[in-house]
Amino acid sequence: GNSVTQMEGPVTLSEEAFLTINCTYTATGYPSLFWYVQYPGEGLQLLLKATKADDKGSNKGFEATYRKETTSFHLEKGSVQVSDSAVYFCALSVGGAQKLVFGQGTRLTINP
Amino acid sequence: DADVTQTPRNRITKTGKRIMLECSQTKGHDRMYWYRQDPGLGLRLIYYSFDVKDINKGEISDGYSVSRQAQAKFSLSLESAIPNQTALYFCATSDSAGTSVSYNEQFFGPGTRLTVL
């Protein structure tokens, strides 16, 4: 079956620190990979995506590279800000059904 | 104005009561989804609909039913609510005819927090 595993949270960092949130997946077929972000009290928003191996998705200073050989899609940011505090979800979809399979989410808190 | 709206935003109810959660969208998308979010479990798919006449069960459909009243409206019902249905519920939409950039992107509503006592 299809599944996504994210690093356990919560994660607490100081402002300007380097961020990595690990994500690995298993999939039948060739998935598209996503990172969604959920700010407090809001729904999920797409942060970035990649649809084929070695693609790099990027947005708002965040990056993730689709690594087929390691079945991974780790989220990184070089210098986090307090406004990056949120819950981050890694997700995949396979085929044309557009059904998303989510990881468990990682809560990130950035302290000033 | 929000593209995907959910009502109510918060609801407290008692075991055995019938509850309906509503979702409306102005994005013109044909596909709609209902998820529930539980701490430590991420989001899990309850039901999804590819158009008004096409409704499909997701990963955790037991205890839930849905109705697609129009392309823009998708309701989730709990016929007899139980405490373990306490969760945050999200509606989402996507466009099957989207471009290669937007294809597979889902747009989420703000969520409904449901508590079953």
Side-chain angles (χ1 to χ4, degrees):
Chain A
N2 301 320
S3 66
V4 176
T5 302
Q6 290 180 234
M7 69 184 287
E8 293 278 339
V11 174
T12 302
L13 296 173
S14 297
E15 204 165 22
E16 299 183 4
F18 183 86
L19 170 70
T20 299
I21 300 178
N22 290 336
C23 172
T24 57
Y25 67 89
T26 59
T28 55
Y30 202 5
S32 295
L33 302 174
F34 307 83
W35 277 100
Y36 278 82
V37 59
Q38 182 182 29
Y39 298 105
E42 299 183 12
L44 279 71
Q45 305 172 24
L46 180 65
L47 181 60
L48 53 84
K49 66 181 283 188
T51 58
K52 61 182 187 295
D54 300 324
D55 268 2
K56 177 184 285 186
S58 62
N59 186 25
K60 299 182 180 179
F62 291 89
E63 295 183 338
T65 301
Y66 189 143
R67 300 290 188 197
K68 186 179 180 183
E69 64 275 15
T70 55
T71 62
S72 65
F73 193 53
H74 304 320
L75 182 68
E76 296 182 337
K77 186 173 185 180
S79 177
V80 292
Q81 306 300 314
V82 172
S83 57
D84 294 327
S85 298
V87 180
Y88 292 81
F89 292 93
C90 186
L92 66 80
S93 71
V94 180
Q98 297 178 316
K99 294 187 294 180
L100 288 170
V101 175
F102 287 89
Q104 71 269 38
T106 302
R107 181 175 299 278
L108 174 66
T109 301
I110 307 301
N111 293 322
Chain B
D1 290 336
D3 294 322
V4 185
T5 58
Q6 293 184 233
T7 56
R9 293 295 310 278
N10 289 281
R11 181 71 183 269
I12 299 174
T13 190
K14 295 182 179 180
T15 297
K17 294 292 188 181
R18 183 178 187 276
I19 296 296
M20 179 180 286
L21 309 182
E22 298 186 346
C23 175
S24 294
Q25 52 113 347
T26 58
K27 299 188 75 66
H29 289 172
D30 53 339
R31 297 183 171 187
M32 298 186 74
Y33 310 79
W34 275 105
Y35 295 89
R36 66 175 278 176
Q37 181 182 13
D38 297 279
L41 294 178
L43 278 74
R44 292 179 292 168
L45 183 63
I46 306 172
Y47 270 95
Y48 60 103
S49 170
F50 285 171
D51 64 35
V52 174
K53 296 182 179 181
D54 184 1
I55 293 178
N56 305 277
K57 293 182 177 180
E59 179 186 353
I60 53 164
S61 59
D62 287 349
Y64 301 95
S65 62
V66 291
S67 173
R68 185 85 183 264
Q69 302 94 322
Q71 186 182 41
K73 296 183 181 297
F74 193 37
S75 300
L76 177 72
S77 294
L78 288 68
E79 296 300 325
S80 179
I82 56 177
N84 75 1
Q85 292 177 313
T86 293
L88 189 55
Y89 290 84
F90 286 101
C91 175
T93 72
S94 69
D95 183 6
S96 66
T99 66
S100 60
V101 172
S102 61
Y103 188 72
N104 274 339
E105 179 177 356
Q106 292 187 14
F107 296 82
F108 285 79
T112 294
R113 184 168 297 281
L114 177 66
T115 303
V116 183
L117 302 176

